[in-house]
Amino acid sequence: MSCPERLALFGDLLDVIAPPGPGARLDDPPAGVRWRPRHWLLIEDGRIAAVQTEAPGADWPRDERPGQLILPGFIDTHVHAPQLDVIASYGTELLDWLQRYTFPAETAWADDEVAARGSARFLDQLLHHGTTSALVFPTVHKGSVDALFSAAWTRGMRLVAGKCLMDRHAPPALTDTPASAERDTLDLLQRWQGRGRLAYAHTVRFAPTSTDAQLQLAGELHAAHPGSYVQTHVAENRAEVQWVRELFPSSRSYLDVYERHGLLTPYSTLAHGIWLDDEDRARLRATGAVIAHCPTSNLFLGSGLFDWSLHARVSIATDVGGGTSLSMQRTLAAAYQVAALQGRRLDAFTLLHAATAGNADSLRLGNEVGRLEPGCVADLAAWDWAEPDSLLAQRLQFAQSLHERLFAWLSLGDERLLRGVWVAGKPQAAASG
């Protein structure tokens, strides 16, 4: 019998298992915030075995990082693997963005070698930003899904993805048919669903690029394969909403298009959701579906301001390449600003919870990732609080509480502070410094 793989990691442990309630005092860590400085995190066979103050025995290999912040790996709930090449492209709103930038970038992934290189680069960039799990859009090409899952399998990452479905209103090189979509999806499901830490998502690009027949197929395939997911977009842009109204005149709303086809379930994540009404939000609550808030993308494309407070289940996402960074710190800082423009202040603990345990719960993976507790997979990141002589370092000198320090870190920090990242307890060569 082989010996277990072990690692004892020492540092300042922080995880937020529940956001502070209304009116909670922030000066001292409220309930749900676990701040454990100078603790040991014991990892055995890829999972957290214990959290303790006393040093482990000599039989435990040690990685001591005094003063570094040890967090759960970030989780991104909406991001496009092929769009790294078009991030920060100038001057368009959503529908023009798709035609000018997105569709050409995705067409290139018809080449299996391009898809393989792009998938490896994309996942390494996620890790370089401290993100260890993600819900991802590949392209319509079957090979793009194989490439992405293969790269995630090699790295041991928790990844949810699936073939993009588009049978109309897209370039011929990016369209399929309901018949080819069903054939490819069933083959991919058989190969990847439940393999290691991988799961399949029925990936409807958005309602305008799928016929009723294809939407119905996606709903039926989702129902037939328990544990699979749904991912799509909804109500991101007002021109898009109007287009959906014209394409689906019998549906009450954009969201109703998806519900009619069985695509709203607790395993559904719909990106954006800016232009929804009260009845839509009631249907989201009733079905358990999640809205992925993508603040940097919404600001960059001029789509609108999402009101987090109106929704029951919200996750946080970068939406690269519409979003401007894979950094979850930058994404959370933008989420704070979007809320502030609407008269609400999101505290640092709520923001960190969203990117870790909250996102894990939104994907029904809370027993696996997003928390530093025994039994969870050891997906972790180690961070410096600041670089020497930086503006952030200066700000932290005047911070009076953990909350002040964390808020400044989220507002001014980014991937340059990353010092180590582990996937299932194994170090990844993706950290700076």
mmCIF file with all atom_site columns, all heavy atoms in Angstrom, residues 312-326:
data_model
loop_
_atom_site.group_PDB
_atom_site.id
_atom_site.type_symbol
_atom_site.label_atom_id
_atom_site.label_alt_id
_atom_site.label_comp_id
_atom_site.label_asym_id
_atom_site.label_entity_id
_atom_site.label_seq_id
_atom_site.pdbx_PDB_ins_code
_atom_site.Cartn_x
_atom_site.Cartn_y
_atom_site.Cartn_z
_atom_site.occupancy
_atom_site.B_iso_or_equiv
_atom_site.pdbx_formal_charge
_atom_site.auth_seq_id
_atom_site.auth_comp_id
_atom_site.auth_asym_id
_atom_site.auth_atom_id
_atom_site.pdbx_PDB_model_num
ATOM 1  N N   . ALA A 1 312 ? -32.118 36.353 -5.291  1.00 0.00 ? 312 ALA A N   1
ATOM 2  C CA  . ALA A 1 312 ? -31.939 35.365 -4.227  1.00 0.00 ? 312 ALA A CA  1
ATOM 3  C C   . ALA A 1 312 ? -30.615 34.625 -4.360  1.00 0.00 ? 312 ALA A C   1
ATOM 4  O O   . ALA A 1 312 ? -29.935 34.376 -3.364  1.00 0.00 ? 312 ALA A O   1
ATOM 5  C CB  . ALA A 1 312 ? -33.103 34.366 -4.248  1.00 0.00 ? 312 ALA A CB  1
ATOM 6  N N   . ARG A 1 313 ? -30.239 34.257 -5.579  1.00 0.00 ? 313 ARG A N   1
ATOM 7  C CA  . ARG A 1 313 ? -29.011 33.484 -5.800  1.00 0.00 ? 313 ARG A CA  1
ATOM 8  C C   . ARG A 1 313 ? -28.163 34.214 -6.837  1.00 0.00 ? 313 ARG A C   1
ATOM 9  O O   . ARG A 1 313 ? -28.540 34.326 -8.000  1.00 0.00 ? 313 ARG A O   1
ATOM 10 C CB  . ARG A 1 313 ? -29.321 32.060 -6.274  1.00 0.00 ? 313 ARG A CB  1
ATOM 11 C CG  . ARG A 1 313 ? -30.133 31.226 -5.285  1.00 0.00 ? 313 ARG A CG  1
ATOM 12 C CD  . ARG A 1 313 ? -30.185 29.765 -5.726  1.00 0.00 ? 313 ARG A CD  1
ATOM 13 N NE  . ARG A 1 313 ? -28.893 29.125 -5.557  1.00 0.00 ? 313 ARG A NE  1
ATOM 14 C CZ  . ARG A 1 313 ? -28.495 28.036 -6.228  1.00 0.00 ? 313 ARG A CZ  1
ATOM 15 N NH1 . ARG A 1 313 ? -29.277 27.509 -7.150  1.00 0.00 ? 313 ARG A NH1 1
ATOM 16 N NH2 . ARG A 1 313 ? -27.302 27.501 -6.010  1.00 0.00 ? 313 ARG A NH2 1
ATOM 17 N N   . VAL A 1 314 ? -27.009 34.704 -6.385  1.00 0.00 ? 314 VAL A N   1
ATOM 18 C CA  . VAL A 1 314 ? -26.094 35.446 -7.250  1.00 0.00 ? 314 VAL A CA  1
ATOM 19 C C   . VAL A 1 314 ? -24.698 34.872 -7.080  1.00 0.00 ? 314 VAL A C   1
ATOM 20 O O   . VAL A 1 314 ? -24.254 34.617 -5.958  1.00 0.00 ? 314 VAL A O   1
ATOM 21 C CB  . VAL A 1 314 ? -26.075 36.950 -6.895  1.00 0.00 ? 314 VAL A CB  1
ATOM 22 C CG1 . VAL A 1 314 ? -25.058 37.697 -7.752  1.00 0.00 ? 314 VAL A CG1 1
ATOM 23 C CG2 . VAL A 1 314 ? -27.462 37.557 -7.070  1.00 0.00 ? 314 VAL A CG2 1
ATOM 24 N N   . SER A 1 315 ? -24.007 34.653 -8.193  1.00 0.00 ? 315 SER A N   1
ATOM 25 C CA  . SER A 1 315 ? -22.590 34.328 -8.159  1.00 0.00 ? 315 SER A CA  1
ATOM 26 C C   . SER A 1 315 ? -21.823 35.484 -8.796  1.00 0.00 ? 315 SER A C   1
ATOM 27 O O   . SER A 1 315 ? -22.409 36.429 -9.314  1.00 0.00 ? 315 SER A O   1
ATOM 28 C CB  . SER A 1 315 ? -22.319 33.002 -8.881  1.00 0.00 ? 315 SER A CB  1
ATOM 29 O OG  . SER A 1 315 ? -22.669 33.092 -10.253 1.00 0.00 ? 315 SER A OG  1
ATOM 30 N N   . ILE A 1 316 ? -20.499 35.400 -8.757  1.00 0.00 ? 316 ILE A N   1
ATOM 31 C CA  . ILE A 1 316 ? -19.658 36.481 -9.282  1.00 0.00 ? 316 ILE A CA  1
ATOM 32 C C   . ILE A 1 316 ? -18.731 35.901 -10.334 1.00 0.00 ? 316 ILE A C   1
ATOM 33 O O   . ILE A 1 316 ? -18.241 34.780 -10.185 1.00 0.00 ? 316 ILE A O   1
ATOM 34 C CB  . ILE A 1 316 ? -18.865 37.168 -8.151  1.00 0.00 ? 316 ILE A CB  1
ATOM 35 C CG1 . ILE A 1 316 ? -18.236 38.482 -8.631  1.00 0.00 ? 316 ILE A CG1 1
ATOM 36 C CG2 . ILE A 1 316 ? -17.841 36.255 -7.540  1.00 0.00 ? 316 ILE A CG2 1
ATOM 37 C CD1 . ILE A 1 316 ? -19.173 39.642 -8.624  1.00 0.00 ? 316 ILE A CD1 1
ATOM 38 N N   . ALA A 1 317 ? -18.510 36.645 -11.425 1.00 0.00 ? 317 ALA A N   1
ATOM 39 C CA  . ALA A 1 317 ? -17.765 36.089 -12.551 1.00 0.00 ? 317 ALA A CA  1
ATOM 40 C C   . ALA A 1 317 ? -17.014 37.179 -13.296 1.00 0.00 ? 317 ALA A C   1
ATOM 41 O O   . ALA A 1 317 ? -17.397 38.350 -13.282 1.00 0.00 ? 317 ALA A O   1
ATOM 42 C CB  . ALA A 1 317 ? -18.724 35.366 -13.499 1.00 0.00 ? 317 ALA A CB  1
ATOM 43 N N   . THR A 1 318 ? -15.958 36.778 -14.004 1.00 0.00 ? 318 THR A N   1
ATOM 44 C CA  . THR A 1 318 ? -15.133 37.728 -14.745 1.00 0.00 ? 318 THR A CA  1
ATOM 45 C C   . THR A 1 318 ? -15.667 37.993 -16.148 1.00 0.00 ? 318 THR A C   1
ATOM 46 O O   . THR A 1 318 ? -15.452 39.071 -16.696 1.00 0.00 ? 318 THR A O   1
ATOM 47 C CB  . THR A 1 318 ? -13.691 37.224 -14.874 1.00 0.00 ? 318 THR A CB  1
ATOM 48 O OG1 . THR A 1 318 ? -13.662 36.032 -15.670 1.00 0.00 ? 318 THR A OG1 1
ATOM 49 C CG2 . THR A 1 318 ? -13.082 36.954 -13.510 1.00 0.00 ? 318 THR A CG2 1
ATOM 50 N N   . ASP A 1 319 ? -16.303 37.026 -16.777 1.00 0.00 ? 319 ASP A N   1
ATOM 51 C CA  . ASP A 1 319 ? -16.794 37.130 -18.146 1.00 0.00 ? 319 ASP A CA  1
ATOM 52 C C   . ASP A 1 319 ? -15.727 37.613 -19.133 1.00 0.00 ? 319 ASP A C   1
ATOM 53 O O   . ASP A 1 319 ? -16.014 38.366 -20.063 1.00 0.00 ? 319 ASP A O   1
ATOM 54 C CB  . ASP A 1 319 ? -18.026 38.039 -18.236 1.00 0.00 ? 319 ASP A CB  1
ATOM 55 C CG  . ASP A 1 319 ? -18.698 37.955 -19.604 1.00 0.00 ? 319 ASP A CG  1
ATOM 56 O OD1 . ASP A 1 319 ? -18.611 36.895 -20.243 1.00 0.00 ? 319 ASP A OD1 1
ATOM 57 O OD2 . ASP A 1 319 ? -19.298 38.954 -20.034 1.00 0.00 ? 319 ASP A OD2 1
ATOM 58 N N   . VAL A 1 320 ? -14.501 37.195 -18.956 1.00 0.00 ? 320 VAL A N   1
ATOM 59 C CA  . VAL A 1 320 ? -13.499 37.444 -19.997 1.00 0.00 ? 320 VAL A CA  1
ATOM 60 C C   . VAL A 1 320 ? -13.903 36.682 -21.252 1.00 0.00 ? 320 VAL A C   1
ATOM 61 O O   . VAL A 1 320 ? -14.391 35.545 -21.191 1.00 0.00 ? 320 VAL A O   1
ATOM 62 C CB  . VAL A 1 320 ? -12.114 36.980 -19.497 1.00 0.00 ? 320 VAL A CB  1
ATOM 63 C CG1 . VAL A 1 320 ? -11.112 36.882 -20.636 1.00 0.00 ? 320 VAL A CG1 1
ATOM 64 C CG2 . VAL A 1 320 ? -11.616 37.931 -18.404 1.00 0.00 ? 320 VAL A CG2 1
ATOM 65 N N   . GLY A 1 321 ? -13.833 37.325 -22.527 1.00 0.00 ? 321 GLY A N   1
ATOM 66 C CA  . GLY A 1 321 ? -13.224 38.564 -22.791 1.00 0.00 ? 321 GLY A CA  1
ATOM 67 C C   . GLY A 1 321 ? -14.058 39.829 -22.768 1.00 0.00 ? 321 GLY A C   1
ATOM 68 O O   . GLY A 1 321 ? -13.469 40.879 -22.988 1.00 0.00 ? 321 GLY A O   1
ATOM 69 N N   . GLY A 1 322 ? -15.390 39.810 -22.545 1.00 0.00 ? 322 GLY A N   1
ATOM 70 C CA  . GLY A 1 322 ? -16.087 41.059 -22.319 1.00 0.00 ? 322 GLY A CA  1
ATOM 71 C C   . GLY A 1 322 ? -15.594 41.720 -21.053 1.00 0.00 ? 322 GLY A C   1
ATOM 72 O O   . GLY A 1 322 ? -15.434 42.938 -20.983 1.00 0.00 ? 322 GLY A O   1
ATOM 73 N N   . GLY A 1 323 ? -15.344 40.896 -20.023 1.00 0.00 ? 323 GLY A N   1
ATOM 74 C CA  . GLY A 1 323 ? -14.720 41.404 -18.810 1.00 0.00 ? 323 GLY A CA  1
ATOM 75 C C   . GLY A 1 323 ? -13.279 41.783 -19.067 1.00 0.00 ? 323 GLY A C   1
ATOM 76 O O   . GLY A 1 323 ? -12.645 41.297 -20.006 1.00 0.00 ? 323 GLY A O   1
ATOM 77 N N   . THR A 1 324 ? -12.744 42.619 -18.210 1.00 0.00 ? 324 THR A N   1
ATOM 78 C CA  . THR A 1 324 ? -11.424 43.197 -18.473 1.00 0.00 ? 324 THR A CA  1
ATOM 79 C C   . THR A 1 324 ? -10.286 42.542 -17.716 1.00 0.00 ? 324 THR A C   1
ATOM 80 O O   . THR A 1 324 ? -9.132  42.956 -17.857 1.00 0.00 ? 324 THR A O   1
ATOM 81 C CB  . THR A 1 324 ? -11.443 44.698 -18.138 1.00 0.00 ? 324 THR A CB  1
ATOM 82 O OG1 . THR A 1 324 ? -11.928 44.883 -16.802 1.00 0.00 ? 324 THR A OG1 1
ATOM 83 C CG2 . THR A 1 324 ? -12.341 45.439 -19.105 1.00 0.00 ? 324 THR A CG2 1
ATOM 84 N N   . SER A 1 325 ? -10.561 41.516 -16.916 1.00 0.00 ? 325 SER A N   1
ATOM 85 C CA  . SER A 1 325 ? -9.487  40.854 -16.180 1.00 0.00 ? 325 SER A CA  1
ATOM 86 C C   . SER A 1 325 ? -9.973  39.517 -15.649 1.00 0.00 ? 325 SER A C   1
ATOM 87 O O   . SER A 1 325 ? -11.140 39.367 -15.272 1.00 0.00 ? 325 SER A O   1
ATOM 88 C CB  . SER A 1 325 ? -9.025  41.727 -15.005 1.00 0.00 ? 325 SER A CB  1
ATOM 89 O OG  . SER A 1 325 ? -8.042  41.057 -14.230 1.00 0.00 ? 325 SER A OG  1
ATOM 90 N N   . LEU A 1 326 ? -9.067  38.554 -15.579 1.00 0.00 ? 326 LEU A N   1
ATOM 91 C CA  . LEU A 1 326 ? -9.346  37.295 -14.890 1.00 0.00 ? 326 LEU A CA  1
ATOM 92 C C   . LEU A 1 326 ? -9.128  37.414 -13.385 1.00 0.00 ? 326 LEU A C   1
ATOM 93 O O   . LEU A 1 326 ? -9.375  36.461 -12.649 1.00 0.00 ? 326 LEU A O   1
ATOM 94 C CB  . LEU A 1 326 ? -8.452  36.174 -15.437 1.00 0.00 ? 326 LEU A CB  1
ATOM 95 C CG  . LEU A 1 326 ? -8.754  35.699 -16.852 1.00 0.00 ? 326 LEU A CG  1
ATOM 96 C CD1 . LEU A 1 326 ? -7.678  34.730 -17.337 1.00 0.00 ? 326 LEU A CD1 1
ATOM 97 C CD2 . LEU A 1 326 ? -10.130 35.035 -16.932 1.00 0.00 ? 326 LEU A CD2 1
#
